Amino acid sequence: MIEQSVYSPPRGATRLPVRADAGRFLILTVVFICAACGLVYELELVALASYLIGDSVTQASVVLSVMVFAMGIGSLLAKRLRCRAAVGFGLVEAALALLGGCSALVLYASFAWIGESRFALVGFSLAIGILIGAEIPLLMTLIQRVSRQDAGGTVADLFAADYVGALVGGLAFPFLLLPWLGQLTGALLTGAVNAVAGGALVLWVFGRDLTRRSRWLLLGVNVLVLAALATAAVQVDDFERAARRAVYGDRVRVALHTDVQEVVVTGDRAGPPDLYLDGRLRVSGRDEYRYHEALVHPAMRGPHGRVLILGGGDGLAAREVLRYGDVRSVTVVELDPAVVRLARTDPALTALNGHAYRDPRVRAVYADAFTWLRGAGHGTYDVVISDLPNPGITPSTKLYSEEFYGLTTRVLAPGGRLAVHAGSTATQPRTYWTVDATLRAAGFGTRPYRATGRPSGFAAGPDRAKDGRPTPSDWGFELAEVGVRPRLGLAADAPPLRSLAGAELAAGARGAERTRMPDLPPSTLVHPRYAD
């Protein structure tokens, strides 16, 4: 009896407009398309949540775990739709296309106007997961109506098409949709493809088994979904501008998506600019000098003929280095060429960095700092400045690793110094002292210090909090040198933390200006407070 129930054809004949083999192929093709769309929705949520909230590992864990759990719920709920599998599948795909296609828009809107997107993220992950989970049971029922293959073979074919579709969707998202369409338009197009595939399968292949009312219902729902997605696609540019104004204010001067990140420059013509990278305030024109002076000048006490800057494509660290007239060369290793182009051409940024890139001693290299250090033939440098993103950001983890600092030792000349921005000592003490311990584990002797004096309630530099976390009140740095016996242990055994006052940094900058040789080009603007 068991063998008969497995291999017997499904009950109820289905009148197909095509041959059974062709119908089976069409169903598997739709499985492939739906799987690709479903994975794009997942990746879209992970990518946008990482951008808006930060901590990509946490966001990926939340999205994937909630969606997998919801898929189980969807599979159970689909049992109630098996008696009307065709109509049920058509409605599920229409709902999935609408929710998945609009998820990025709603998530971005909740962040821009409400300031909180976590609840929207969990809600969409749950809803999309339930709908994706309902697909396979319904498709299993539909394919058994047109096929006499045993259940085991049918399941194997369904999952093969599903897995291959997931592979295509996973590759299409980073290599096609994001670079060519962006997150919002890419999600909307994916939703439209999802709706067309699901609706076409049901209305064409199984249309003869549907009642007149069911056919009109599915047709009307799919037309409305496609109309909603098309309207959103037409308005997406206006939406992005409005959301950007809600996040950054009305003073957005430059906004562009590069292959690496979103770059936004704000500020009016009369005031200093602010530079945001992926929504985080990287440079504040009002007090960036506090950060860059503290990062650069302590490391410049000693030989500094050749200087390497890791990151710092904005040219501000280079500006401070070029105050020393006996500097012979400055190499800036920046991942995103667009940041350097802005620093070269944007009037406000070039004024802020003192036209540093016009100085013939400055050379920009476009590469990942970790990968670049692994290469050979770079020579050695007297000073290495690590002006990289905050160590608390997951994508920058490798740039604060023992391996990274080990690579740095290969390019440091004997007696050379390494200056590292290590996060805030006030709001991220664990992160700060972890960087200190990592440097010492890599063979460096460290001298921790910090710069204070940040205006109350105001954040600048790469420590800017953007999701309600406490605003840092200081910047923490490490001055490291190879050959100095490193201390062992963690924060309790570390050298005492020293605070640098603004007057001390100003004196250092003034001293650097006085070393300028008269025949060198005017590579930097003198800040008014150095004029004395």
Side-chain angles (χ1 to χ4, degrees):
M1 293 296 294
I2 294 178
E3 188 171 335
Q4 281 186 339
S5 64
V6 170
Y7 290 98
S8 61
R11 290 177 298 174
T14 297
R15 297 170 296 169
L16 300 177
V18 294
R19 293 171 49 188
D21 291 344
R24 180 184 181 84
F25 174 78
L26 290 173
I27 293 175
L28 292 177
T29 301
V30 170
V31 172
F32 170 87
I33 295 174
C34 291
C37 293
L39 196 64
V40 169
Y41 298 146
E42 293 182 31
L43 296 176
E44 186 73 42
L45 288 175
V46 170
L48 194 56
S50 300
Y51 163 67
L52 297 177
I53 305 173
D55 192 358
S56 58
V57 172
T58 299
Q59 308 317 319
S61 300
V62 169
V63 170
L64 296 179
S65 58
V66 170
M67 290 192 78
V68 170
F69 166 74
M71 287 168 64
I73 297 177
S75 297
L76 293 176
L77 295 178
K79 293 165 64 176
R80 298 177 176 271
L81 299 175
R82 291 185 63 190
C83 58
R84 303 188 65 185
V87 176
F89 179 74
L91 294 176
V92 164
E93 292 307 297
L96 182 58
L98 183 63
L99 284 176
C102 296
S103 59
L105 283 171
V106 176
L107 206 62
Y108 197 13
S110 65
F111 175 82
W113 282 283
I114 301 176
E116 176 58 63
S117 54
R118 291 182 177 87
F119 296 111
L121 174 67
V122 174
F124 273 107
S125 301
L126 188 64
I128 292 174
I130 289 174
L131 294 172
I132 291 176
E135 288 177 328
I136 291 297
L138 296 177
L139 285 167
M140 181 71 180
T141 301
L142 293 177
I143 200 171
Q144 285 185 318
R145 289 184 182 179
V146 301
S147 172
R148 296 179 179 273
Q149 187 178 4
D150 64 277
T154 300
V155 169
D157 290 343
L158 279 175
F159 280 108
D162 185 73
Y163 295 151
V164 174
L167 170 66
V168 172
L171 295 176
F173 178 73
F175 296 114
L176 292 177
L177 294 178
L178 272 184
W180 291 96
L181 298 175
Q183 288 182 322
L184 303 184
T185 305
L188 293 170
L189 177 62
T190 303
V193 172
N194 200 164
V196 169
L201 175 70
V202 175
L203 291 173
W204 181 35
V205 177
F206 297 97
R208 296 180 182 179
D209 288 344
L210 301 177
T211 64
R212 181 182 179 87
R213 181 180 178 182
S214 297
R215 285 196 297 269
W216 280 107
L217 173 65
L218 287 176
L219 183 62
V221 167
N222 278 277
V223 168
L224 289 176
V225 168
L226 291 173
L229 295 174
T231 302
V234 171
Q235 300 294 325
V236 73
D237 290 336
D238 294 335
F239 171 83
E240 281 193 283
R241 283 192 290 269
R244 196 174 289 122
R245 284 195 299 270
V247 173
Y248 300 107
D250 296 328
R251 302 186 306 150
V252 176
R253 298 177 56 253
V254 178
L256 54 93
H257 290 274
T258 73
D259 294 337
V260 178
Q261 60 201 340
E262 181 188 56
V263 181
V264 175
V265 180
T266 66
D268 50 42
R269 296 185 180 277
D274 295 336
L275 173 65
Y276 293 84
L277 302 180
D278 271 346
R280 294 180 178 270
L281 181 59
R282 177 66 183 172
V283 171
S284 169
R286 287 180 287 176
D287 76 342
E288 55 78 23
Y289 64 88
R290 301 173 186 269
Y291 167 81
H292 290 99
E293 288 175 0
L295 174 66
V296 171
H297 291 297
M300 299 296 284
R301 296 171 181 173
H304 48 248
R306 299 190 74 220
V307 179
L308 171 65
I309 301 175
L310 302 174
D314 48 52
L316 298 171
R319 176 198 66 196
E320 295 301 320
V321 170
L322 292 172
R323 295 188 189 278
Y324 297 82
D326 49 350
V327 169
R328 298 191 305 274
S329 69
V330 180
T331 302
V332 179
V333 180
E334 169 60 46
L335 178 62
D336 193 349
V339 174
V340 176
R341 283 197 299 270
L342 272 177
R344 291 180 187 269
T345 59
D346 183 79
L349 282 178
T350 55
L352 193 63
N353 65 34
H355 303 277
Y357 285 107
R358 292 184 184 178
D359 194 301
R361 294 172 292 172
V362 178
R363 179 174 70 99
V365 177
Y366 305 125
D368 174 75
F370 194 100
T371 304
W372 188 84
L373 287 173
R374 293 181 67 178
H378 302 312
T380 58
Y381 296 86
D382 301 301
V383 178
V384 176
I385 307 293
S386 180
D387 187 15
L388 296 165
N390 195 308
I393 303 173
T394 304
S396 68
T397 301
K398 69 176 183 178
L399 304 178
Y400 292 86
S401 64
E402 184 177 345
E403 293 78 8
F404 180 77
Y405 295 133
L407 293 172
T408 304
T409 62
R410 294 164 50 182
V411 299
L412 270 175
R417 283 88 58 210
L418 167 65
V420 178
H421 162 246
S424 170
T425 63
T427 60
Q428 296 177 297
R430 183 180 181 86
T431 299
Y432 178 84
W433 291 113
T434 298
V435 174
D436 178 86
T438 305
L439 280 165
R440 288 183 279 119
F444 285 94
T446 61
R447 282 176 281 179
Y449 66 100
R450 64 177 180 173
T452 57
R454 178 178 286 177
S456 177
F458 178 70
D463 290 330
R464 170 74 173 199
K466 70 168 186 173
D467 57 359
R469 292 172 295 175
T471 299
S473 59
D474 68 344
W475 297 279
F477 303 95
E478 293 281 350
L479 181 59
E481 186 176 349
V482 179
V484 178
R485 181 177 178 83
R487 297 170 182 261
L488 300 177
L490 296 175
D493 299 319
L497 184 65
R498 183 187 176 202
S499 294
L500 294 182
E504 183 178 358
L505 292 171
R510 284 197 300 270
E513 284 295 325
R514 294 191 184 104
T515 68
R516 178 171 301 285
M517 299 177 183
D519 57 338
L520 288 176
S523 59
T524 182
L525 297 178
V526 179
H527 195 279
R529 67 197 191 95
Y530 305 149
D532 60 346

